[in-house]
Amino acid sequence: MKLDGIHHITCITGDAPANVRFYAGTLGLRLVKKSVNQDVPTIYHLFYADEKGGAGSDITFFEYPGAERGVAGAGMIHLITWRVASDASLDFWEQRLKEHGFDSTREAGRLRFEDPEGLALEIAVVETADEPLKARHPEVPDEHALLGFDGVRVYTNDVERSRDLLESTLGFERDSDSSWTVRGESRGSHFVYDGAPGRGVEGAGTVHHVAWACSMDEHQRWRDRVAAAGANVTPVINRFYFKSIYFREPSGVLFEIATKGPGFSVDEAPDKLGEDLALPPNYKYLRAELEKQLTPLPSMSELGR
Ligand code: ZN
């Protein structure tokens, strides 16, 4: 039983319109689901991914309108890395980010930048046999599209605390004293710790959790395994697009294990993903009210689509 790398990464935004402009406009991802927080339906849960909404490419945001900016610290993810195919793609993104008003820093094979709320992001040239998970945006040539996540970097005060859970329970393969590969049959990702600069503050521009992908029929067994290791794991929660369990790894990062299906087409046709507000069954009767209360978002034409 192996985890297939990152399923999705969930972050926090205080400014949903700017968030949509950046991820679905500047970065050219597809807004595959415009839903609401399952606990507070007057705020968005936005999902951006490749064209099919595939696990491995999905970055999602909880909206807390007007939230103060947070800062990454111990027990928090501080950098998200996407793959691209070539140095020419880094040239393209360096230029496109500049045209959209975002500074970036180039190192060998990597380009670092921040989203509009200071979330640290990176695009890296990665050679891999994993399926390229691409979105289509008219202004992003196919050969330069983002290809899905490569990994995340995390701040910790003590790598050793986490080692046993990562290796013995979750099957992460050690690459060095502070970095691991998480690879299953279909995909892999990197998970790397760095020394923490101090305590963090959750807020806009910070990561809330990372989800690892598993097959539908292994989900309960993953829950049993995590529980047997002594972690405080939630029951299986139905997120409609996938099923989830949550627990904190010993360094403090909130982990989720999510099923690779059924996916974002359960309530919208594949060619219509993200166009309408998608509501969980228990909130469907509130549609008219919610559509009035939710923050208006930019249209597809404003995003260059
Ligand atoms: Zn999640």
Side-chain angles (χ1 to χ4, degrees), residues 113-134:
F113 51 99
E114 292 181 353
D115 88 349
E117 294 170 290
L119 178 60
L121 304 173
E122 182 181 66
I123 295 173
V125 179
V126 175
E127 266 190 56
T128 175
D130 290 357
E131 182 193 350
L133 302 175
K134 292 184 192 179

Side-chain angles (χ1 to χ4, degrees), residues 19 28 32 36 65 68 96 100 110 135 144 150 161 168 171 210 220 224 241 261 272 278:
N19 188 263
V32 290
V36 295
E68 302 253 339
R96 181 168 172 83
H100 286 230
R110 295 172 182 275
H144 297 321
D150 193 58
R161 264 197 317 201
S168 307
V210 59
Q220 183 62 47
D224 294 344
Y241 311 116
K272 303 277 185 203

Side-chain angles (χ1 to χ4, degrees), residues 8 10 209 211 246 256:
H8 65 268
T10 294
H209 64 266
Y246 302 85
E256 173 180 351

Side-chain angles (χ1 to χ4, degrees), residues 6-7 14 32 41 45-46 51 61 82 99 108 121 133-134 145 151 154 183 207 215 228 234 246 260 278 287-288:
I6 293 172
H7 182 290
V32 290
H45 190 182
L46 301 170
E51 215 54 30
F61 285 84
W82 278 276
E99 284 164 7
L121 304 173
L133 302 175
K134 292 184 192 179
V154 178
R183 176 165 288 283
V207 177
S215 64
T234 67
Y246 302 85
K260 285 190 279 184
R287 176 175 294 277

